């Protein structure tokens, strides 16, 4: 067949596209797993390439791999880590268990590129062989869980920065709106006064707490099982290999990686992936709640709360002229739903481990890295295209605050709960304000009443109108 080369494996021979950097293992995987149009993320490919580069250095230092081959493998792996040959990683995200096909995709691409660097041809593995040289001292079983951890850690700073940006923007909006009085709502019913700034400051605090939870949940990812080879015993590796490859990985990634205390546990258990995913889900729950509030606070503009005006970023309807929808917040909600679903998939996969290996790792990392990517992107998008441009309807907010039945709460320390409740009921029935009805009560001086019902003072700790020691 023109444009093809013939490669051989333990199952026989197969035609592989002549221009392909991948080989027979990947060609079989492409045929076997025509499941989706999705591929595992570039962050994982980068992590795999860095592991291959570190392994080449480590094996050369122990004398098991000659320097010429090691240098060629390292150069080829460095190119792949930088994003070159990304189109050669063609295995479907839904693939053979444990990520063997993905590992071989890295082995074959790096081997063929290394062969080129040494003057050889693609598909001729006499100089550099995917298994014997690129995969020396390794197994998918220790490479893939290590790649999962490294890829997540490499993506983590950008995610955390996006949360910092969102928290900072929410905090800034809280300071900007700190004097805007409004009615709180509990059970979606009128409650005591708060400020709009206090609401936004609370959102900022929630995002910051989620960031800290994500940071804490990532700590166990730094423990690597690389060097455990097939079953966590280190079979077919040099006694110094494990220490050397971890050291090299630290240098290549800038991460404070370390060898796991128990290589078997690092291979069998992927609980650290579930832990990080759980923290991402927790953030999605908080972020979705905030997005819901923004949509509610901006509802209207004439028949809703309309306490804030969200930035108009695009037309909202194909049939209703002039309609503008809270599309950034809506997108945020959809991302949060996806992340919550991804977490369920990860949890099921993590629980599916058997004996020395959990073979469901590809679907774990596919969903974990996807969650990290879309949460980071939507956090930045919400901060920049929504929060930054929010404006308050100050008069509407104040009217809601002063007209709220919750104002009667300020009377309770003076007239008791039951009498204050009666005032609230009469206010609702008669359409008169709490202030008007309170003026008719006996035993409260008018000047004192003004202090008691000062809406701004009700947003701070203390008993309104009373000086406390």
């Amino acid at each position: 067949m023109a444009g093809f080369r013939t490669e051989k494996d333990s199952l026989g021979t197969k035609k592989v596209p002549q221009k392909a950097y991948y080989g027979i293992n990947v060609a079989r995987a492409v045929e076997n797993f025509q499941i989706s149009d999705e591929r595992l993320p570039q962050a994982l490919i980068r992590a795999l390439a860095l592991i291959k580069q570190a392994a080449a250095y480590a094996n050369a230092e122990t004398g098991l791999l000659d320097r010429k081959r090691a240098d060629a493998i390292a150069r080829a792996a460095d190119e792949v880590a930088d994003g070159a040959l990304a189109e050669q990683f063609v295995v479907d995200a839904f693939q053979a268990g444990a990520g063997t096909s993905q590992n071989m995709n890295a082995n074959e691409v790096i081997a063929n590129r290394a062969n080129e660097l040494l003057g050889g041809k693609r598909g001729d593995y006499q100089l550099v062989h995917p298994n014997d040289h690129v995969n020396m001292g390794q197994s998918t079983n220790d490479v893939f869980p290590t790649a999962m951890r490294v890829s997540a850690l490499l993506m983590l700073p950008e995610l955390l920065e996006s949360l910092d940006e969102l928290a900072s923007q929410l905090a800034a909006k809280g300071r900007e709106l700190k004097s805007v009085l409004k009615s709180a709502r509990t059970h979606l019913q009128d409650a005591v006064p708060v400020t709009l700034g206090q609401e936004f400051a609370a959102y900022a605090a929630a995002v910051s707490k989620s960031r800290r939870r994500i940071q804490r949940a990532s700590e166990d990812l730094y423990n690597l099982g690389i060097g455990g080879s097939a079953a966590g015993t280190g079979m077919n590796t040099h006694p110094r290999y494990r220490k050397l490859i971890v050291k090299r990985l630290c240098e290549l990634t800038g991460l404070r990686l370390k060898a796991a205390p128990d290589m078997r546990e690092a291979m069998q258990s992927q609980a650290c992936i579930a832990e990080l995913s759980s923290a991402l889900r927790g953030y999605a729950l908080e972020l979705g709640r905030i997005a819901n509030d923004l949509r509610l606070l901006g509802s209207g503009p004439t028949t809703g709360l309309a306490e804030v005006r969200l930035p108009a970023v695009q037309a909202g309807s194909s049939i209703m002229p002039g309609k503008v929808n809270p599309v950034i917040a809506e997108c945020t909600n959809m991302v949060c739903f996806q992340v919550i679903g991804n977490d369920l998939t990860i949890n099921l996969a993590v629980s599916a481990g058997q004996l020395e290996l959990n073979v469901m790792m590809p679907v774990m990392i596919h969903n974990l890295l996807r969650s990290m990517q879309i949460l980071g992107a939507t956090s930045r998008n919400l901060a920049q295209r929504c929060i930054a441009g929010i404006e308050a309807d100050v008069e509407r907010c104040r009217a809601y605050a002063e007209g709220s039945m919750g104002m009667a709460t300020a009377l309770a320390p003076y007239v008791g709960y039951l009498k204050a409740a009666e005032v609230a009921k009469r206010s609702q029935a008669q359409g008169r304000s709490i202030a008007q009805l309170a003026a008719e009560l006996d035993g409260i001086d008018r000047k004192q009443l003004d202090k008691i019902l000062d809406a701004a003072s009700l947003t701070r700790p203390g008993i309104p109108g009373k000086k406390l020691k």
Side-chain angles (χ1 to χ4, degrees):
M1 294 174 64
F4 286 84
R5 64 179 187 261
T6 300
E7 291 195 17
K8 183 179 180 180
D9 65 6
S10 59
L11 298 181
T13 60
K14 188 169 184 59
K15 298 293 184 182
V16 178
Q18 187 64 49
K19 293 183 178 181
Y21 280 88
Y22 60 80
I24 187 170
N25 286 279
V26 172
R28 292 193 190 281
V30 169
E31 288 185 354
N32 289 335
F33 308 113
Q34 298 182 36
I35 308 300
S36 71
D37 59 356
E38 299 177 69
R39 303 291 180 264
L40 290 178
Q42 178 60 35
L44 183 76
I45 295 170
R46 182 184 179 211
L48 283 168
L50 292 173
I51 292 168
K52 302 301 174 181
Q53 188 177 10
Y57 287 136
N59 284 316
E61 288 184 54
T62 64
L64 294 179
L65 184 65
D66 65 273
R67 284 286 176 183
K68 188 176 181 181
R69 282 193 176 97
D71 287 342
I73 291 170
R75 283 179 59 193
D78 190 50
E79 291 179 10
V80 171
D82 285 343
L85 305 179
E87 76 284 354
Q88 297 295 315
F89 286 81
V90 294
V91 180
D92 199 283
F94 300 93
Q95 56 180 266
T100 301
S101 299
Q102 195 73 27
N103 185 37
M104 286 307 303
N105 204 159
N107 289 334
E108 290 178 343
V109 169
I110 292 170
N112 277 311
R113 178 59 184 141
N115 279 315
E116 280 187 338
L117 292 171
L118 293 174
K121 296 180 180 180
R122 298 175 208 175
D124 183 359
Y125 300 118
Q126 294 299 311
L127 293 173
V128 178
H129 192 279
N131 300 81
D132 296 336
H133 302 126
V134 181
N135 200 63
M136 179 182 284
Q138 304 151 61
S139 164
T140 298
N141 301 351
D142 67 336
V143 166
F144 204 86
T146 297
M148 289 201 300
R149 289 156 171 77
V150 170
S151 61
L153 289 170
L154 289 173
M155 285 187 66
L156 188 63
E158 186 174 353
L159 172 63
L160 296 179
E161 286 171 13
S162 73
L163 270 71
D164 287 337
E165 181 177 350
L166 178 57
S168 178
Q169 196 65 255
L170 287 165
K173 191 59 62 174
R175 292 189 294 271
E176 177 188 330
L177 304 176
K178 66 181 181 180
S179 300
V180 179
L181 287 167
K182 56 160 287 177
S183 175
R185 294 178 184 85
T186 57
H187 301 263
L188 290 180
Q189 304 298 303
D190 297 354
V192 298
V194 296
T195 71
L196 201 51
Q198 287 172 327
E199 285 188 327
F200 277 84
Y203 297 150
V207 172
S208 293
K209 288 183 74 173
S210 292
R211 184 209 188 278
R212 291 194 293 273
R213 292 186 189 104
I214 292 170
Q215 180 79 66
R216 288 196 299 269
S218 70
E219 287 303 313
D220 199 36
L221 296 177
Y222 291 91
N223 295 300
L224 306 182
I226 193 69
S229 68
T233 63
M235 181 180 176
N236 284 354
T237 67
H238 191 283
R240 294 172 53 222
Y241 169 77
R242 186 181 184 214
K243 182 178 180 180
L244 289 170
I245 191 172
V246 172
K247 179 184 176 184
R248 282 290 190 170
L249 274 175
C250 289
E251 294 169 357
L252 292 170
T253 63
L255 299 170
R256 48 181 178 83
L257 305 167
K258 51 191 175 183
D262 189 313
M263 291 187 291
R264 273 72 55 190
E265 185 274 338
M267 182 180 297
Q268 296 168 7
S269 172
Q270 303 309 322
C272 59
I273 300 297
E275 185 176 6
L276 179 55
S277 178
S278 177
L280 298 178
R281 183 201 65 220
Y283 174 50
L285 295 174
E286 287 282 55
L287 188 60
R289 175 182 64 81
I290 293 168
N292 286 339
D293 280 4
L294 294 174
R295 292 164 58 201
L296 198 56
L297 292 171
S299 60
T302 57
T303 60
L305 297 182
E307 292 184 341
V308 300
R309 290 182 289 272
L310 305 182
V313 295
Q314 67 184 62
S317 175
S318 61
I319 189 172
M320 292 176 279
K323 192 171 190 291
V324 177
N325 295 333
V327 293
I328 302 299
E330 291 169 343
C331 174
T332 300
N333 278 127
M334 286 187 269
V335 166
C336 293
F337 301 154
Q338 183 65 58
V339 170
I340 293 165
N342 290 350
D343 179 63
L344 176 59
T345 299
I346 291 168
N347 287 335
L348 292 172
V350 168
S351 71
Q354 296 167 319
L355 303 176
E356 273 62 59
L357 184 66
N358 188 320
V359 302
M360 305 301 173
M361 292 184 288
V363 78
M364 292 179 207
I365 198 61
H366 178 56
N367 282 278
L368 182 74
L369 297 184
R370 186 64 169 159
S371 290
M372 294 177 75
Q373 186 241 321
I374 61 178
L375 272 177
T378 202
S379 296
R380 289 192 187 280
N381 203 42
L382 186 65
Q384 297 170 4
R385 303 188 65 79
C386 182
I387 305 301
I390 286 176
E391 297 176 346
D393 188 327
V394 178
E395 295 307 315
R396 182 184 288 257
C397 286
R398 176 173 281 277
Y400 282 152
E402 294 178 346
S404 169
M405 288 173 56
M407 292 289 288
T409 306
L411 299 173
Y414 297 92
V415 301
Y417 181 92
L418 290 178
K419 188 169 282 191
E422 173 117 10
V423 171
K425 289 170 65 177
R426 285 173 58 201
S427 172
Q428 187 175 22
Q430 298 175 14
R432 299 168 67 194
S433 71
I434 298 295
Q436 289 172 327
L437 292 169
E440 300 172 2
L441 293 173
D442 295 330
I444 302 181
D445 179 81
R446 186 56 191 243
K447 288 184 179 180
Q448 186 184 22
L449 184 60
D450 289 341
K451 293 179 180 179
I452 293 171
L453 297 179
D454 174 45
S457 71
L458 306 187
T459 66
R460 300 185 291 269
I463 298 175
K466 184 176 290 188
K467 291 184 178 181
L468 300 175
K469 294 182 180 180

